[in-house]
Amino acid sequence: MKLPPFEYACPATLDEAIALLASRDGDAKAISGGQSLMPILAFRLASPSLLVDLKKLKGLDQIKIDASGITLGAKVSWRQIEDDKRLATAHPLLQEMISHVAHYQIRNRGTVGGSIAHADPAAEMPGFSVTCDAKIVVKGSSGERIIPAGEFFEGPLMTVLEADELITEIRLPPWPAARRWGMLEFARRRGDFAMGGVAVFYDLDAQGRAVDAHVGVIGAGSIPHRVPGAEAAINGTTVDETAILAAAKAAAAGVEPLTDIHASAAYRRNLISVLLERALRAAVAR
Amino acid sequence: MSKANRFVGSPVERLEDLRLLRGRGRFVDDLTAEGVLNAVILRSPVAHGIIKGIDTSAALAIPGVVAVLTAEEIGRPVPTIPIRLFASKLTEPLEQPCIADRKVRYVGEPVVLVIAESQAIAEDACDAVVLDIETLPPVVTREAAEKGQSLLFDELGTNRCARFTAIKGDADDAFRNAAYRRRERFGVHRHTAVFMEGRGLLAEWFEEEGKLVVQGGAKVPFATRKALSKQMNLPEDKIEVHEADTGGGFGSRGEFYPEDFLIPFAARYVGKPIKWVEDRREHLACSNHSRETEVEAEIACDKNGMVLGLRGTAFVDSGAYVRTNGLINPRNVSQFMSGPYHVPNINIVTDFYLSNKGPVGTYRGPGRYETDYVRERLFDMAANDLGIDRVEFRRRNLVREDQMPYQLPQIVETKSGDELDSGNYEVTLDQCLAEFKWAEKVEKYDGKLIDGRYHGLGLHCFIEGGAAGPKENARLVLEKSGNVSVYVGSSQVGQGVVTVLTQIAADALEMPMDKIAIFHGSTTGTKEGFGSFHSRSTVMGGSAIVVAAASLQKLMREAAGRRFNCAPGEVTLEDGKAQGPGGKSLTFAELAEEDISIEESFFNHKHTWAYGTHATHIAVDPQTGQVEVLEYVAVEDVGRMVNPLTLGGQAVGAIVQGLGGTFLEHLIYDGEGQLLTGTFADYLLPTAGDFPRIRAIMTGNYPSPINPLGVKGAGEGGIIPVGGIMANAIASALRSFNVQPLELPLSPPRIWKLIDDARPAEAAE
């Protein structure tokens, strides 16, 4: 479990980092917190010829909050999100979701950009970004792109990111104070990757009816995604028991989970349904 | 003996802890030597195949690589791992070669050994070796093993490698006439021991003296030395085996593994110290696995719930070879199915089959966890079917004190039996019920839907064996300081053996504990030793100390008598002084001007049987299948307690370990014999926060008659009831669904499926 040989570079600027990544034709890897890449290297599942360490890059570790929304620098760590008191009101769902990420040692090192680039379908940050209509800002040799999170993930550990591109920041729309939300995940042990997870939020109109419902799932397929059927079952209702059960049923129908050694597809489908049911009850009670 | 028993029975804090907690432990990865090289093993990537070629040239060309060894360099015939327990001519050909020769039989089997200046270089070299292996059909399932179309050993002609038949009375006759019978099929899954740190070794070869020194493994250093002596053609007195500190053994660590030969061999081959420490992937694939068992069992009772017989057949998976103690598992499945109960008629046939998976060995409560699971499940089902309360059903069938010693069934193939030694099993049952408030909780919770979860209770009576013979040695030396050094053949596997043996020695010598030093786990301390397994250290090591202490005191009195010119009988030994008639007095230090030491053996061919009852309260989330353990109480009588703190701690640890095996841990192979749970992300261990509510109450009310201390082997056995009690509690919780969990582990998807399948079709959708 020792790392294979590789070259190491620690550039001081973003442009240098991009140039280094571009120089290896896909055989270079960026490293920040290293919480996914280091085990992959130790198991020798990947053997890049060059590691580009992002630790000297400036300005990527800020959380900015203003009227236009929230911006997370790619190097923002889970711990920073947990410790930022502004987020308790500015984006409570973000803090709740991040509290489920692994264990505190990992939360000290793991980063927002790293998790999104790694694209584990059961990870919280990719699921969160899809659920919350995040925009993912990336920069590469041919300039900057802004990619909606819903178009970013292509499959397990696969994204639209080019080999010479780095995620620089994640932009989130503002979070209304009165928004209703719930988030639950189910893991065998606290801190494990979720067997399934659900995040839901909606706003209430003047008549007390749900509008703009968002339902996102993790661990329920090859990529994190929203569940339009479940959202439709919530929108326009008072989120009563009938609507909750209808949304839960729609969620089961709206996911295509995989069978693996830990659970069958049928179990995961049921789990997503149950989690949405419970998350919605929590949202109503909040 | 005015001062006897000051320490035995007292809650003495572990003597080991101060050193370990200050970071002063010496675990295997802390060991090093001048000029040490690292070893890494290239292991078979396929489960079953013929080795056509191994090209090591590219690996040898890597700078820093010192040697690349295959069966070719090691020499044929390649030494095999000896079977330590129940060896026979039949199983000898099934011993594992220490490095694969011509054939590979499981993923993880050593094929090439690389020695290099660093572990990273050695791993690079492993990547550079080219293996040409022609694959054979792998034997992964029970069906394939039994069918025998693909054979692990062609010359055996079958994949069945052993059978153990337990017989008592006439089971068939009892079943013919029984008022009640029930037959079920049960499955226990493959899982194993995981320690705080990996297995490892440091081997040093001293050319001038022709001597080998091996450090690392714990458990049976003398057996390891004996095996190495034969394999390396070295006299035993030219080999030293020393244990390091360990973060647990659980039956698995310290048995002889391929590396226990390969690393010492390589140290002599290259003439440099060599260190090897496994990584977790290697541990999960290559350390002794355990538990994989299927049992089809049947119970017969009369209409009052008196058990008339148990019969059935069992299949135990051996993995690719028969390892040192692997035969214990199928033997125990057969022999101990009746547990603490009077069962007059027994017929259990257990077959042990080879497969292309990791070889098995013992894991804490070997065979007992499995067979207890089967029995206690059948008991709950029978009690329920007969309309008899499950506590009452057990009470009626427990072996009574007046039936002791109680004969267990004979094993036909080994012509050996066993007998329960002593105790009052009903007393621990009642104590457990009272501690747990069983009656009150049954009323309040059992089978009820509360807060969206179904609550259930479980109860399990069990025995744990200990004190394996044939003997143990202790050597006592009166040091020049007047202190006593105690050398024992027992080993430290994290169980607190230093603390416990110090208590026993201090009482036996009537000296303070700080005047006693325990030395253990080395082939240099005693002439012979048998190590730590089968819960034997306290009974066997402790009794050896008691025997040797009496002899040492006799020698001290004789020495003092010579100096005082009096009879030894007139000498008293007290407060660090020998005193004779007329106020004559010598301190122990003065007495030690003359060399005074003695080595004695304690012989024993019987077993001790600690016993007890566990009770639990769980809640099942019917929508997710998640089970929460709300309360767990264990009561166990261990004959005579040496240290309630260490014993209670071990009982709680055993229960947590059992909960891990029952709910989380599972070694899963795919159809090609590839291990799918090779990391801690997939092989799930219990963590500190997972199962917090466990109480262990240990008692010492009924001493064992078979040793001078009256102690019984204990601390291992808390794991034994966990599978059975949890499945029973879940069945009880889910009684409204009328479902029976028959397979372990009790994972959320499995529990959910039981419920889902039982729901009416329209509700399940």
Side-chain angles (χ1 to χ4, degrees), chain B residues 505-558:
Chain B
D507 277 2
L509 291 163
E510 299 172 280
M511 288 171 69
M513 282 177 58
D514 61 7
K515 302 287 182 199
I516 311 276
I518 302 282
F519 298 90
H520 56 83
S522 166
T523 54
T524 58
T526 50
K527 289 195 201 88
E528 207 178 1
F530 294 83
S532 292
F533 59 95
H534 193 253
S535 297
R536 68 188 300 283
S537 297
T538 300
V539 183
M540 298 300 293
S543 296
I545 288 171
V546 170
V547 173
S551 298
L552 188 79
Q553 286 185 321
K554 181 165 173 282
L555 291 178
M556 288 165 73
R557 285 196 188 91
E558 285 168 1

Side-chain angles (χ1 to χ4, degrees), chain B residues 338-395:
Chain B
S338 56
Y341 302 100
H342 169 56
V343 179
N345 302 290
I346 293 173
N347 185 331
I348 313 282
V349 182
T350 302
D351 284 329
F352 199 36
Y353 272 93
L354 296 159
S355 72
N356 291 114
K357 293 180 279 189
V360 308
T362 63
Y363 169 40
R364 198 172 200 169
R368 305 165 193 270
Y369 172 93
E370 298 91 310
T371 207
D372 261 47
Y373 168 66
V374 171
R375 180 193 67 244
E376 294 287 311
R377 293 292 287 117
L378 282 174
F379 274 28
D380 261 23
M381 291 175 191
N384 196 45
D385 289 346
L386 292 165
I388 300 169
D389 179 76
R390 67 200 123 155
V391 175
E392 184 56 29
F393 184 92
R394 287 174 171 80
R395 189 188 300 283

Side-chain angles (χ1 to χ4, degrees), chain B residues 89 136 138 196 251 321 385 395 426 698 746:
Chain B
K89 279 278 163 245
L136 296 168
M196 298 292 284
Y321 296 97
D385 289 346
R395 189 188 300 283
E426 200 177 352
M698 313 305 280
L746 301 166

Side-chain angles (χ1 to χ4, degrees), chain B residues 72-402:
Chain B
E72 192 67 42
E73 287 76 23
I74 283 164
R76 296 184 169 98
V78 169
T80 60
I81 297 174
I83 296 171
R84 191 166 65 78
L85 298 163
F86 298 117
S88 74
K89 279 278 163 245
L90 237 59
T91 50
E92 209 171 86
L94 313 178
E95 291 178 357
Q96 178 171 3
C98 292
I99 197 158
D101 186 16
R102 296 189 181 98
K103 197 172 179 187
V104 290
R105 294 184 175 88
Y106 66 97
V107 170
E109 181 164 3
V111 180
V112 180
L113 176 67
V114 176
I115 309 298
E117 286 167 6
S118 76
Q119 194 180 330
I121 293 171
E123 288 188 23
D124 293 347
C126 284
D127 286 349
V129 172
V130 182
L131 294 181
D132 178 10
I133 301 177
E134 182 186 305
T135 59
L136 296 168
V139 178
V140 182
T141 61
R142 172 179 184 174
E143 195 191 356
E146 288 178 343
K147 227 177 205 170
Q149 276 178 345
S150 185
L151 293 175
L152 274 86
F153 291 86
D154 289 330
E155 56 277 25
L156 190 64
T158 168
N159 289 315
R160 198 182 84 189
C161 56
R163 167 173 283 186
F164 293 94
T165 308
I167 297 282
K168 186 174 176 183
D170 185 341
D172 287 344
D173 186 58
F175 274 82
R176 236 186 328 271
N177 301 313
Y180 170 83
R181 296 189 301 197
R182 182 161 177 171
R183 190 174 189 85
E184 294 286 351
R185 193 187 190 97
F186 300 93
V188 181
H189 60 298
R190 179 175 280 246
H191 59 286
T192 193
V194 178
F195 336 116
M196 298 292 284
E197 83 292 20
R199 281 191 303 120
L201 293 168
L202 173 69
E204 295 172 86
W205 173 252
F206 297 91
E207 180 67 36
E208 319 79 75
E209 303 150 74
K211 192 172 88 176
L212 177 71
V213 178
V214 182
Q215 299 181 70
K219 182 174 181 173
V220 286
F222 285 87
T224 297
R225 181 176 71 169
K226 192 172 170 197
L228 272 173
S229 162
K230 189 173 163 218
Q231 294 169 335
M232 291 186 60
N233 197 21
L234 274 172
E236 286 192 28
D237 63 6
K238 292 292 185 188
I239 303 174
E240 287 179 15
V241 179
H242 307 283
E243 68 187 39
D245 282 320
T246 60
F250 314 119
S252 164
R253 186 204 298 277
E255 286 296 332
F256 204 97
Y257 286 93
E259 299 83 9
D260 289 276
F261 164 75
L262 293 174
I263 306 307
F265 177 88
R268 185 172 67 177
Y269 188 87
V270 303
K272 291 265 183 65
I274 295 179
K275 181 169 159 178
W276 169 81
V277 179
E278 72 177 4
D279 59 40
R280 296 297 190 180
R281 184 169 47 179
E282 287 180 294
H283 180 84
L284 291 171
C286 309
S287 70
N288 285 340
H289 292 176
S290 212
R291 302 272 201 255
E292 186 176 355
T293 301
E294 283 180 36
V295 184
E296 203 168 352
E298 191 173 13
I299 185 170
C301 304
D302 69 13
K303 63 182 189 325
N304 298 318
M306 294 306 292
V307 178
L308 302 172
L310 286 170
R311 69 179 174 187
T313 55
F315 164 94
V316 178
D317 191 310
S318 162
Y321 296 97
V322 179
R323 275 201 184 151
T324 54
N325 57 10
L327 291 159
I328 297 288
N329 300 349
R331 196 282 303 253
N332 285 5
V333 167
S334 270
Q335 182 148 35
F336 301 119
M337 192 171 283
S338 56
Y341 302 100
H342 169 56
V343 179
N345 302 290
I346 293 173
N347 185 331
I348 313 282
V349 182
T350 302
D351 284 329
F352 199 36
Y353 272 93
L354 296 159
S355 72
N356 291 114
K357 293 180 279 189
V360 308
T362 63
Y363 169 40
R364 198 172 200 169
R368 305 165 193 270
Y369 172 93
E370 298 91 310
T371 207
D372 261 47
Y373 168 66
V374 171
R375 180 193 67 244
E376 294 287 311
R377 293 292 287 117
L378 282 174
F379 274 28
D380 261 23
M381 291 175 191
N384 196 45
D385 289 346
L386 292 165
I388 300 169
D389 179 76
R390 67 200 123 155
V391 175
E392 184 56 29
F393 184 92
R394 287 174 171 80
R395 189 188 300 283
R396 285 178 196 175
N397 287 291
L398 282 173
V399 172
R400 296 188 315 272
E401 198 176 0
D402 62 22

Side-chain angles (χ1 to χ4, degrees), chain A residues 5-11 20 24 31 49-56:
Chain A
F6 54 80
E7 290 172 62
Y8 171 84
C10 195
L20 283 163
R24 293 296 168 106
I31 185 161
S49 66
L50 173 68
L51 284 196
V52 180
D53 193 337
L54 307 182
K55 75 179 173 196
K56 287 189 187 162

Side-chain angles (χ1 to χ4, degrees), chain A:
Chain A
M1 296 252 188
K2 298 294 176 192
L3 310 186
F6 54 80
E7 290 172 62
Y8 171 84
C10 195
T13 69
L14 190 58
D15 288 342
E16 277 178 69
I18 290 165
L20 283 163
L21 289 172
S23 72
R24 293 296 168 106
D25 205 17
D27 200 28
K29 274 291 213 184
I31 185 161
S32 182
Q35 296 305 289
S36 301
L37 185 55
M38 290 300 279
I40 286 172
L41 294 176
F43 277 113
R44 297 188 177 223
L45 296 172
S47 195
S49 66
L50 173 68
L51 284 196
V52 180
D53 193 337
L54 307 182
K55 75 179 173 196
K56 287 189 187 162
L57 304 192
K58 300 248 180 323
L60 296 180
D61 57 356
Q62 300 299 311
I63 300 174
K64 290 179 210 141
I65 302 173
D66 58 31
S68 69
I70 297 157
T71 304
L72 305 171
K75 286 170 60 182
V76 165
S77 71
W78 311 128
R79 170 47 48 89
Q80 277 175 272
I81 291 171
E82 286 187 298
D83 288 350
D84 196 315
K85 295 201 166 53
R86 299 172 299 168
L87 286 171
T89 49
H91 211 308
L93 176 59
L94 175 60
Q95 280 195 324
E96 175 64 24
M97 219 145 164
I98 295 319
S99 75
H100 290 274
V101 174
H103 307 279
Y104 73 87
Q105 297 93 331
I106 293 170
R107 294 201 295 271
N108 281 338
R109 298 226 21 117
T111 64
V112 166
S115 174
I116 290 176
H118 185 59
D120 190 306
E124 286 80 4
M125 195 63 205
F128 169 83
S129 64
V130 168
T131 309
C132 294
D133 298 326
K135 297 217 169 16
I136 296 165
V137 184
V138 307
K139 205 172 170 199
S141 307
S142 49
E144 190 175 84
R145 295 199 284 160
I146 299 175
I147 306 164
E151 296 164 19
F152 189 82
F153 302 100
E154 295 192 308
L157 313 188
M158 286 185 288
T159 70
V160 299
L161 205 60
E162 299 291 339
D164 66 343
E165 283 182 321
L166 281 170
I167 296 170
T168 55
E169 60 186 40
I170 289 87
R171 293 180 190 159
L172 299 164
W175 181 272
R179 181 166 277 174
R180 299 299 178 97
W181 63 277
M183 190 268 147
L184 283 172
E185 67 173 59
F186 182 83
R188 301 292 300 278
R189 302 171 304 181
R190 176 104 197 160
D192 284 346
F193 273 114
M195 288 172 91
V198 170
V200 56
F201 65 83
Y202 55 86
D203 298 319
L204 292 175
D205 66 12
Q207 285 74 46
R209 295 183 190 281
V211 292
D212 198 25
H214 282 56
V215 174
V217 292
I218 60 173
S222 58
I223 54 169
H225 63 90
R226 284 172 58 179
V227 189
E231 293 171 350
I234 300 166
N235 281 329
T237 73
T238 55
V239 199
D240 55 6
E241 215 28 44
T242 310
I244 289 173
L245 293 176
K249 193 172 165 183
V255 293
E256 279 304 327
L258 307 171
T259 291
D260 65 17
I261 55 169
H262 297 299
S264 65
Y267 178 79
R268 288 176 196 271
R269 189 184 295 281
N270 163 74
L271 187 61
I272 293 295
S273 177
V274 168
L275 292 176
L276 179 59
E277 184 185 321
R278 292 178 182 180
L280 276 169
R281 289 211 185 94
V284 170
R286 204 174 288 276

Side-chain angles (χ1 to χ4, degrees), chain B residues 670-703:
Chain B
D670 70 8
E672 297 303 310
Q674 293 291 337
L675 180 66
L676 301 179
T677 50
T679 75
F680 283 164
D682 290 315
Y683 189 84
L684 307 178
L685 291 167
T687 59
D690 289 327
F691 302 112
R693 295 177 186 86
I694 299 167
R695 280 191 292 148
I697 297 139
M698 313 305 280
T699 61
N701 295 330
Y702 294 86

